């Protein structure tokens, strides 16, 4: 007995502890589940992708400055079809009377009325987060309920709710697919509930522990659960299959202990490549990569821990039912495929070589998109349908904000005038250039005589006001030199007059005071939107697309023009600069992701196979699959959201290479006992159930996300992931075996395990025939 105990390995001791203390583990997991159900509500989800731009980017700096210094009123575009112009005017007046509606832009130009369609551009009294804006928008919807109407507005947090509902449907479909796949690939029916229960717990714990990060992105929040299930289901399958193998010769307790002790190293090794690929995303300059990386890495780690500590107890508890529910193997042998792979070993690798060279260049010319303007999804929500109909009917504005230091209205007017000369500019809204009264702009400087004539105020009173302003401005020389030549910007003078009259220092007649109050309110509203504490905002409407080389070049033109007046104290912000900054960060992140994902996986493979030849073959097959995957957008001339490439290429490299590892592991083990042809055929037959199960689940999950999500970011990731997984499966099952056979001699020579080399040589490893 003591001799037997002395031979118990530390791994077996740990496995025995987990099995024997399973009820304690159940209790711990019940507590964690209850906690996670509450903590899930503590997770804050960020729906704004620009928040993940680096703080060094111009867009992020500009957006932060605008949030701090300016107010941006909520807006909505309301398109009404099949309406006459006169009726549209009446409806416009009715909408203006709604509480919370600040103003509506509508006229008979093609920008607002085309072929029986009217477009009302509404500005609300509050920001997009204010209740008054949401209430007013609901009133607008009620008022237009009887019309054929399309409304596009960024008010309220409906995006998160829409995505959540779509992902719930994806989860249901994914679970059905997983259930169907597991029914085909499992050994017993009862192991399926065990696996689903295990990963249900893992999914709940992962969502609940996201609160540790405070805020996560809407992308991570949406797809993490589905990807967790798809990426980590292998671990449960490995343990289940080990258990059924051990159960043939052992009692249930010993079978679970033995299966767990053998599965821990195998599962740990398998997950390393997945974690390597995911960790590469953490080095992206675009911080959403780090966000997804930590959420998914945590998901994989939680899944592994759940498989190691919860699932063994479930296998033990349900062992009798598992024994009673054995069924025949539904996955057929693939002998015909195996024979075809061997026979074509000199042909298809040559085709593959040509294919990946072509794919390398095609994927290098992939048409990337950096905003959702040019992206389409199969599923469309109500807001997307409205935006598309409006865009198809009316010319869309492309807005750019130019932020410069405030205080010099003359410079602002000169800059505005120069920018207006460019044909790419439709309109510019700048506080200094806004017309105030009688043709004067608020930035125009007026003498006392001119101000008196403009306001119908007594000249002597105005001179006193100008003198008081000069004292307040510490311009004492103006008083001595003659106040009649002193000029003050109209906006500054109005502000000063309003301030001193409001404080009771000066009294005006009722009519003048009423006009002053009205003008002050208008100017104050404009200042809130266009002038901050330290900066002024110029809003430019461009007649260029949001993202194009021409647009990006014109941004440099605008920036250089503004620098002539303000030096380097110029910031640009808006959708064009957002797209530009994302394109710049993508070039860096693309290189980082490619290098690090390959490097990390290469290191894992190097130590896993103790060979320098095998990792190169495996990386070549998966990297070739990645290039082919991202050749499709080029071939179809369909834009691909840039983040899809970054995310999917890292997942494809990290997760899909597991399929190649499964076959290669089998091959290197069998190669010790038989010739290379028999070894590869048997390896394919043995590995096919695992690859079929894992690959079909991951591909199905990807396509489900892509087809059912209306969010372009999430949808494009899903489509690319599903397509990439299918391509990887085909090449792993077809090309990889041929390369292993053809490179058998090289693999042998580059192996660091000299015992294996000696064993292979003894069975004639270098021959080409059986």
């Amino acid at each position: 007995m003591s001799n037997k105990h002395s031979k118990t390995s530390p791994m077996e001791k740990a496995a025995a502890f987990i099995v024997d203390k399973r009820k304690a583990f159940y209790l711990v997991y019940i507590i964690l589940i209850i906690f996670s159900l509450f903590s899930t509500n503590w997770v804050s989800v960020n729906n704004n992708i620009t928040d993940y731009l680096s703080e060094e980017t111009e867009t992020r700096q500009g957006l932060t400055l605008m949030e701090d210094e300016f107010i941006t009123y909520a807006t909505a575009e309301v398109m009404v079809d099949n309406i006459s112009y006169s009726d549209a005017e009446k409806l416009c007046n009715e909408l203006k009377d709604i509480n919370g509606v600040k103003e509506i832009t509508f006229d008979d130009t093609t920008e607002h009325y085309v072929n029986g369609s009217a477009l009302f551009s509404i500005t609300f009294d509050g920001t997009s987060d204010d209740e008054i804006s949401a209430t007013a928008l609901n009133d607008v919807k009620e008022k237009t309920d009887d019309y054929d109407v399309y409304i596009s507005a960024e008010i309220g947090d409906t995006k998160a709710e829409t995505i959540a509902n779509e992902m719930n449907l994806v989860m249901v479909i994914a679970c059905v697919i997983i259930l169907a796949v597991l029914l085909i690939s499992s050994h017993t029916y009862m192991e399926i509930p065990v696996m689903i229960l295990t990963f249900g717990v893992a999914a709940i714990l992962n969502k609940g522990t996201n609160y540790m990060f405070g805020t996560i992105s809407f992308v991570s929040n949406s797809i993490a659960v589905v990807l967790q299930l798809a990426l980590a289901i292998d671990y449960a399958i490995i343990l289940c299959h080990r258990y059924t193998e051990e159960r043939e010769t052992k009692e249930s307790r010993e079978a679970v202990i033995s299966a767990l002790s053998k599965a821990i190293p195998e599962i740990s090794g398998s997950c390393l490549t997945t974690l390597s690929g995911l960790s590469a995303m953490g080095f992206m300059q675009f911080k959403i990569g780090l966000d997804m990386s930590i959420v998914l890495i945590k998901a994989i780690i939680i899944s592994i821990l759940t498989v190691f500590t919860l699932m063994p107890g479930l296998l033990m508890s349900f062992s009798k039912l598992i024994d009673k529910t054995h069924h025949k193997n539904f996955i057929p042998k693939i002998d015909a495929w195996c024979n075809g792979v061997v026979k074509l070993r000199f042909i298809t690798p040559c085709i593959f070589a040509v294919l990946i060279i072509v794919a390398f260049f095609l994927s290098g010319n992939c048409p990337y998109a950096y905003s959702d303007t040019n992206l389409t999804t199969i599923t469309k929500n109500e807001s997307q349908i409205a935006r598309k109909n409006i865009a198809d009917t009316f010319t869309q504005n492309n807005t750019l904000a130019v932020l410069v230091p405030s205080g010099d209205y003359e410079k602002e007017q000169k800059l505005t005038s120069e920018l207006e000369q460019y044909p790419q500019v439709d309109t510019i809204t700048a506080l200094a250039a806004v017309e105030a009264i009688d043709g004067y702009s608020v930035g125009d400087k007026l003498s006392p005589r001119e101000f008196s004539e403009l306001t119908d105020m007594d000249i002597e009173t105005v001179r006193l006001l100008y003198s008081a302003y000069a004292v307040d401005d510490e311009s004492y020389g103006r008083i001595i030199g003659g106040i009649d030549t002193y000029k003050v910007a109209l906006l500054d003078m109005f502000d000063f007059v309003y301030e001193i009259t409001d404080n009771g220092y000066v009294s005006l007649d009722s009519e003048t005071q009423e006009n002053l109050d009205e003008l002050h309110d208008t100017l104050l509203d404009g200042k809130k939107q266009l002038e901050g504490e330290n900066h002024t905002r110029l809003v430019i409407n461009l007649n260029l697309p949001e993202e194009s080389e021409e647009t990006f070049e014109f941004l440099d033109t605008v920036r250089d023009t503004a620098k002539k007046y303000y030096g380097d104290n110029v910031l640009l912000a808006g959708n064009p600069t957002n797209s530009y900054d994302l394109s710049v960060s993508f070039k860096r992140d693309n290189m980082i992701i490619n290098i690090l994902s390959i490097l990390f996986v290469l290191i894992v493979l190097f130590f896993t196979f103790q060979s320098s030849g095998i990792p190169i073959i495996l990386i070549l097959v998966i990297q070739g699959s990645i290039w082919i995957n991202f050749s499709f957008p080029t071939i179809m001339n369909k834009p691909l959201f840039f983040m899809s490439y970054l995310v999917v290429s890292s997942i494809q490299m990290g997760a899909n290479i597991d399929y190649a590892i499964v076959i290669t592991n089998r091959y290197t083990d069998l190669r010790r006992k038989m010739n290379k042809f028999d070894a590869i055929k048997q390896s394919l037959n043995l590995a096919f159930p695992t690859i079929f199960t894992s690959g079909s689940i991951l591909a199905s999950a990807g396509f489900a996300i892509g087809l059912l999500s209306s969010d372009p970011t999430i949808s494009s990731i899903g489509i690319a992931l599903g397509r990439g997984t299918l391509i990887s499966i085909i090449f792993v099952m077809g090309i990889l075996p041929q390369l292993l056979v053809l490179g058998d001699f090289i693999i042998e020579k580059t192996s660091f395990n000299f015992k294996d080399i000696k064993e292979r040589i003894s069975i004639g490893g270098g021959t080409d025939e059986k």
Side-chain angles (χ1 to χ4, degrees):
M1 183 74 177
S2 60
N3 187 42
K4 182 179 179 181
H5 181 73
S6 64
K7 293 182 180 180
T8 303
S9 67
M11 196 70 72
E12 289 174 326
K13 290 181 180 178
F17 176 80
I18 293 171
V19 173
D20 293 338
K21 302 296 182 181
R22 58 187 178 277
K23 292 183 179 179
F25 280 102
Y26 292 164
L27 180 59
V28 171
Y29 275 105
I30 290 172
I31 295 173
L32 291 176
I33 289 171
I34 294 173
F35 174 79
S36 296
L37 291 175
F38 285 100
S39 62
T40 298
N41 299 318
W42 305 341
V43 181
S44 177
V45 179
N46 189 339
N47 293 313
N48 190 356
I49 199 169
T50 59
D51 286 346
Y52 294 92
L53 283 168
S54 169
E55 294 295 334
E56 300 173 357
T57 60
E58 186 178 28
T59 298
R60 185 65 264 153
Q61 293 176 27
L63 291 175
T64 301
L65 191 152
M66 286 196 295
E67 290 170 3
D68 292 341
E69 294 196 24
F70 301 95
I71 183 171
T72 301
Y73 291 113
T75 60
E77 289 188 321
V78 179
M79 187 179 88
V80 179
D81 272 343
N82 305 313
I83 187 172
S84 65
Y85 184 75
S86 59
D87 288 341
E89 281 187 310
K90 293 177 184 177
L91 178 59
C92 180
N93 292 328
E94 292 177 9
L95 295 177
K96 285 180 179 178
D97 293 335
I98 293 176
N99 182 41
V101 171
K102 177 182 291 292
E103 62 180 357
I104 299 179
T105 304
F106 176 72
D107 51 43
D108 59 356
T109 64
T110 55
E111 294 181 356
H112 293 282
Y113 190 80
V114 175
N115 298 328
S117 295
L119 180 64
F120 305 111
S121 298
I122 302 177
T123 301
F124 297 97
D125 283 326
T127 65
S128 58
D129 296 327
D130 290 341
E131 185 178 350
I132 190 172
S133 301
T135 302
L137 179 61
N138 288 331
D139 292 340
V140 168
K141 291 179 179 179
E142 289 182 10
K143 184 70 72 174
T144 58
D145 191 49
D146 294 332
Y147 295 88
D148 187 4
V149 64
Y150 300 95
I151 300 176
S152 175
E154 297 294 334
I155 297 177
D157 191 15
T158 58
K159 181 176 182 179
E161 183 180 349
T162 300
I163 293 176
N165 292 334
E166 292 171 349
M167 287 302 107
N168 288 337
L169 179 58
V170 169
M171 274 300 298
V172 171
I173 293 176
C175 288
V176 172
I177 293 171
I178 290 171
L179 184 62
V181 172
L182 292 178
L183 282 171
I184 296 173
S185 62
S186 63
H187 295 160
T188 70
Y189 291 117
M190 192 57 205
E191 70 185 49
I192 297 173
V194 170
M195 285 190 280
I196 291 177
L197 185 59
T198 300
F199 274 95
V201 171
I204 293 172
L205 296 185
N206 188 50
K207 283 188 72 68
T209 52
N210 283 334
Y211 85 94
M212 295 187 301
F213 306 131
T215 301
I216 62 174
S217 71
F218 71 96
V219 181
S220 301
N221 186 63
S222 302
I223 66 177
V225 174
V226 180
L227 290 184
Q228 177 187 12
L229 190 59
L231 291 172
I233 194 72
D234 275 359
Y235 313 145
I237 293 172
I238 290 172
L239 182 55
C240 270
H241 287 182
R242 282 287 186 183
Y243 170 74
T244 53
E245 290 174 8
E246 297 294 331
R247 187 69 181 90
E248 293 177 359
T249 58
K250 297 181 178 70
E251 293 297 323
S252 57
R253 178 181 178 276
E254 286 69 26
V256 175
I257 293 172
S258 179
L260 180 58
S261 61
K262 293 177 180 179
I264 288 176
E266 185 177 352
I267 293 172
S268 300
S270 176
C271 81
L272 281 177
T273 53
T274 303
L275 295 177
S276 298
L278 295 176
S279 62
M281 289 195 296
F283 292 87
M284 288 167 54
Q285 187 179 32
F286 188 38
K287 295 305 179 185
I288 203 166
L290 177 62
D291 180 84
M292 292 190 66
S293 177
I294 59 177
V295 171
L296 288 174
I297 286 175
K298 178 170 65 67
I300 297 299
I301 292 174
I302 288 176
S303 298
I304 293 172
L305 292 176
T306 308
V307 169
F308 287 166
T309 59
L310 175 63
M311 192 171 180
L314 295 176
L315 290 172
M316 182 67 192
S317 298
F318 294 103
S319 59
K320 292 181 180 180
L321 290 174
I322 292 174
D323 292 341
K324 294 178 181 179
T325 56
H326 277 272
H327 60 76
K328 68 177 182 177
N329 187 5
F330 296 119
I331 298 182
K333 294 287 185 180
I334 54 170
D335 295 327
W337 175 272
C338 298
N339 292 330
V341 167
V342 172
K343 288 179 181 179
L344 297 173
R345 66 187 181 279
F346 295 113
I347 300 175
T348 49
C350 297
I351 298 174
F352 175 69
V354 174
L355 195 59
I356 62 172
I357 292 173
V358 174
F360 172 77
F361 289 103
L362 288 175
S363 62
N365 293 309
C366 182
Y368 294 107
Y370 303 98
S371 69
D372 60 7
T373 305
N374 299 322
L375 297 176
T376 58
T377 56
I378 295 174
T379 299
K380 292 179 174 60
N381 58 45
E382 184 179 337
S383 178
Q384 287 174 315
I385 295 171
R387 283 201 302 269
K388 184 179 185 305
N389 285 329
I390 294 172
D392 290 345
T393 308
F394 297 95
T395 302
Q396 293 298 286
N397 289 329
N398 180 10
T399 304
L400 174 68
V402 182
L403 305 170
V404 295
S406 61
D408 194 329
Y409 297 124
E410 188 174 354
K411 279 186 180 181
E412 290 176 37
Q413 287 180 328
K414 290 180 179 179
L415 174 59
T416 301
S417 297
E418 187 168 350
L419 290 174
E420 284 177 331
Q421 304 306 311
Y422 292 112
Q424 296 91 338
V425 174
D426 277 342
T427 62
I428 299 181
T429 302
L431 184 61
V434 171
E435 184 175 342
I437 187 171
D438 291 348
Y440 284 104
S441 297
V442 297
D444 291 341
K445 291 187 175 182
L446 277 67
S447 66
R449 173 77 53 189
E450 291 169 327
F451 190 82
S452 172
E453 293 173 353
L454 178 66
T455 59
D456 291 330
M457 293 176 64
D458 179 69
I459 184 62
E460 294 302 326
T461 303
V462 172
R463 283 173 179 157
L464 289 174
L465 290 174
Y466 267 65
S467 298
Y469 182 90
V471 172
D472 188 67
D473 195 44
E474 298 183 355
S475 301
Y476 302 109
R478 293 293 184 179
I479 303 174
I480 299 172
I483 200 66
D484 285 338
T485 60
Y486 183 31
K487 289 193 174 185
V488 180
L490 186 58
L491 177 61
D492 291 339
M493 201 63 214
F494 268 123
D495 277 344
F496 180 72
V497 172
Y498 182 82
E499 182 180 351
I500 61 176
T501 55
D502 189 52
N503 291 329
Y505 297 123
V506 174
S507 297
L508 303 174
D509 62 78
S510 59
E511 184 179 354
T512 303
Q513 184 66 52
E514 184 179 347
N515 292 335
L516 179 64
D517 291 341
E518 184 179 345
L519 187 56
H520 176 266
D521 290 340
T522 302
L523 294 176
L524 182 62
D525 188 58
K527 288 186 70 173
K528 287 180 181 178
Q529 299 178 69
L530 298 173
E531 187 174 61
E533 182 178 354
N534 300 304
H535 293 82
T536 293
R537 174 166 61 175
L538 284 71
V539 181
I540 306 175
N541 283 327
L542 304 176
N543 52 33
L544 295 170
E546 283 188 6
E547 52 177 291
S548 69
E549 287 302 319
E550 184 184 0
T551 304
F552 295 159
E553 289 175 4
F554 187 66
L555 292 179
D556 291 332
T557 301
V558 173
R559 191 179 293 107
D560 292 339
T561 303
K563 283 183 177 181
K564 289 193 300 184
Y565 299 96
Y566 295 96
D568 292 330
N569 299 316
V570 176
L571 287 174
L572 306 184
N575 290 335
T577 58
N578 180 34
S579 297
Y580 175 76
D581 284 336
L582 289 175
S583 70
V584 172
S585 68
F586 170 69
K587 293 173 183 176
R588 173 193 176 276
D589 290 341
N590 186 19
M591 183 179 297
I592 291 291
I593 286 288
N594 285 333
I595 293 174
L596 291 183
S597 60
I598 291 175
L599 180 63
F600 290 162
V601 171
L602 199 61
I603 292 172
V604 173
L605 295 176
F606 183 83
F607 286 102
T608 299
F609 293 104
Q610 298 182 33
S611 166
S612 58
I614 290 177
I616 294 174
I617 293 175
L618 269 60
I619 291 289
L620 178 64
V621 172
I622 299 301
Q623 186 60 54
S625 302
I626 293 173
W627 286 333
I628 292 170
N629 182 22
F630 292 105
S631 296
F632 279 82
T634 306
I635 296 170
M636 297 185 295
N637 194 28
K638 185 177 180 180
L640 174 75
F641 193 58
F642 77 101
M643 202 169 71
S644 303
Y645 182 88
L646 298 174
V647 173
V648 174
S649 60
S650 60
I651 292 178
Q652 197 172 344
M653 177 58 72
N656 291 173
I657 205 162
D658 275 355
Y659 312 151
I661 293 174
V662 170
I663 291 177
T664 308
N665 265 329
R666 293 285 190 178
Y667 177 73
T668 53
D669 289 342
L670 293 172
R671 189 66 182 89
R672 299 187 183 99
K673 308 170 188 176
M674 58 187 72
N675 66 62
K676 58 187 179 183
F677 298 122
D678 289 339
I680 200 63
K681 288 178 182 178
Q682 192 166 339
S683 296
L684 285 173
N685 262 315
L686 291 173
F688 177 65
T690 301
I691 295 174
F692 166 77
T693 304
S694 177
S696 59
I697 289 174
L698 183 56
S700 299
F703 284 126
I705 291 172
L707 297 175
L708 297 175
S709 176
S710 62
D711 184 86
T713 304
I714 297 172
S715 176
S716 60
I717 290 175
I719 292 292
L721 180 61
R723 183 178 61 224
T725 301
L726 284 182
I727 294 170
S728 296
I729 292 172
I730 293 170
F731 285 121
V732 164
M733 290 294 297
I735 301 299
L736 176 62
Q738 295 171 334
L739 295 180
L740 290 175
V741 170
L742 293 174
D744 186 79
F745 178 75
I746 298 175
I747 294 171
E748 190 174 285
K749 292 299 182 182
T750 57
S751 174
F752 306 126
N753 194 324
F754 296 102
K755 182 180 179 181
D756 285 354
I757 294 175
K758 186 175 179 181
E759 289 178 356
R760 290 185 183 183
I761 292 175
S762 68
I763 62 170
T767 61
D768 285 341
E769 302 297 333
K770 289 185 181 182

